[in-house]
Amino acid sequence: MISSPVIVTHIAYSLHGASCKLRTLASDLLAAICIMAIPEGHKLVMSAMSDYRIAHDEAFRFEELITSLNLPEMEADDPAGGGVPSEDDSVWEARAASMVLVNALTTAPKSLEERIFLREEFGRRGLNEVIAVSTYRICHW
């Protein structure tokens, strides 16, 4: 697989508008490529995610990946007072796999500077806020 960057790019493309199961499988596979084939695999996945940004008109790389982690908005008349809405388990599996991918992307580089740069990039995309809001809503459910 590492000898064919096109395959890795098509796996990344499969994240767009995917079912929860497909998003889970694609995220897990991309994360495995990052971790198991350092540094080539990480470079391939990063390149595929850059291609994804262009192909799917993202303003910034990883925009849709971070958006997929958001919990749905609660209704104003929610009797639970801002709890977590009931969702299919596959949605949570897809979110977990997306976080595994984020973790693989940010921990695979050997260079401390590159890891910091990637963590800052995810921070600029809103990852810190997604985690904070999700943690708050889940803990107060």
Side-chain angles (χ1 to χ4, degrees):
M1 182 176 303
I2 299 302
S3 64
S4 180
V6 174
I7 292 174
V8 177
T9 300
H10 285 288
I11 294 168
Y13 285 3
S14 70
L15 293 171
H16 185 71
S19 68
C20 291
K21 186 66 173 174
L22 181 56
R23 176 173 287 281
T24 301
L25 294 172
S27 295
D28 284 342
L29 188 53
L30 291 170
I33 293 168
C34 277
I35 299 301
M36 301 303 289
I38 296 175
E40 299 85 15
H42 183 263
K43 289 178 185 173
L44 282 173
V45 174
M46 291 298 292
S47 177
M49 295 306 289
S50 293
D51 291 345
Y52 178 98
R53 182 191 74 76
I54 293 167
H56 298 291
D57 296 323
E58 287 184 318
F60 302 101
R61 186 168 57 171
F62 309 124
E63 188 174 11
E64 189 175 328
L65 182 63
I66 298 303
T67 301
S68 73
L69 296 170
N70 284 320
L71 294 176
E73 292 297 321
M74 297 301 298
E75 298 297 323
D77 60 349
D78 178 26
V84 179
S86 124
E87 290 182 302
D88 189 327
D89 286 343
S90 64
V91 174
W92 287 100
E93 289 172 8
R95 285 188 186 115
S98 293
M99 280 305 300
V100 168
L101 177 56
V102 168
N103 194 33
L105 288 168
T106 58
T107 60
K110 291 186 188 279
S111 162
L112 176 61
E113 293 81 15
E114 189 175 355
R115 289 193 308 267
I116 290 170
F117 175 79
L118 284 167
R119 289 173 186 163
E120 288 174 349
E121 183 175 359
F122 278 107
R124 288 189 303 273
R125 299 295 84 74
L127 179 62
N128 299 332
E129 290 80 8
V130 168
I131 291 171
V133 167
S134 297
T135 302
Y136 176 82
R137 287 178 59 193
I138 289 169
C139 290
H140 291 89
W141 179 53

